[in-house]
Amino acid sequence: MTRHTLSVLVENKPGVLARVAGLFSRRGFNIDSLAVGPTEHDDVSRMTIVVSVEDLPLEQVTKQLNKLVNVLKIVELDPRAVVQRELLLLKVRADVQTRSHVLETVQLFRAKVVDVTTDTVTVEATGTADKLDALTECWTVRIREIVQSARPSRAAAVR
């Protein structure tokens, strides 16, 4: 299976996201990443969909997507030209003795502290999957909660 990134322009109407996601679901495809946002036109949204499938089934899904009334345009983005960033929120145990080490690591990875409690620090980091993997490996025994999202940037969706 290969990873494909689709940029789909859709009408900005209720239910469009459910219909598009449902199409992938009915075909048995798992969406790796899905980002939806407004465009320069109020009545149009851009869906950036990352999916791992073979080429032929993707072509079939693309044809079916084109048949949906609210889909305006579909473009498969060139994998060499796509800019992708992941977002990571990480809650780390950080008592008085370890807090300075945690904060040093945050600076080293150019991450950002978004919340501090008496015994935890919540960190936000963006970057490549390798960078975020390296960050989480620094704190494997201290991690209390983790949320990670592969999210293609808006630049990736623009041709």
Side-chain angles (χ1 to χ4, degrees):
M1 291 215 195
T2 54
R3 197 170 163 133
H4 300 273
T5 304
L6 301 175
S7 175
V8 183
L9 288 177
V10 297
E11 293 176 3
N12 189 10
K13 294 189 175 179
V16 174
L17 173 61
R19 283 192 287 282
V20 170
L23 186 90
F24 281 90
S25 175
R26 285 190 301 279
R27 303 289 289 166
F29 298 143
N30 188 35
I31 296 173
D32 295 331
S33 174
L34 175 63
V36 183
T39 64
E40 59 277 7
H41 305 288
D42 291 338
D43 56 340
V44 177
S45 292
R46 182 179 312 275
M47 299 176 76
T48 305
I49 305 167
V50 180
V51 63
S52 296
V53 295
E54 295 300 327
D55 293 334
L56 189 58
L58 180 70
E59 184 179 331
Q60 293 170 348
V61 170
T62 302
K63 287 179 181 177
Q64 290 176 347
L65 275 174
N66 271 318
K67 291 180 184 178
L68 292 178
V69 175
N70 302 113
V71 173
L72 305 173
K73 183 178 180 182
I74 303 169
V75 176
E76 182 175 355
L77 302 175
D78 182 353
R80 296 167 302 216
V82 173
V83 176
Q84 289 187 324
R85 310 295 282 168
E86 293 191 20
L87 171 66
L88 173 72
L89 288 173
L90 194 62
K91 188 180 281 188
V92 181
R93 272 188 233 105
D95 55 19
V96 176
Q97 292 82 19
T98 60
R99 186 162 306 211
S100 63
H101 172 69
V102 169
L103 295 176
E104 286 173 14
T105 307
V106 167
Q107 288 180 343
L108 179 68
F109 281 89
R110 294 188 183 143
K112 185 167 73 171
V113 173
V114 292
D115 188 44
V116 177
T117 66
T118 56
D119 61 340
T120 64
V121 173
T122 303
V123 177
E124 175 187 306
T126 57
T128 63
D130 292 339
K131 175 186 172 183
L132 299 184
D133 287 345
L135 176 61
T136 56
E137 286 176 20
C138 290
W139 295 324
T140 50
V141 295
R142 292 194 178 119
I143 295 174
R144 293 188 66 186
E145 292 181 46
I146 186 168
V147 177
Q148 188 166 357
S149 169
R151 180 180 168 155
S153 71
R154 288 195 186 189
V158 179
R159 275 193 104 185

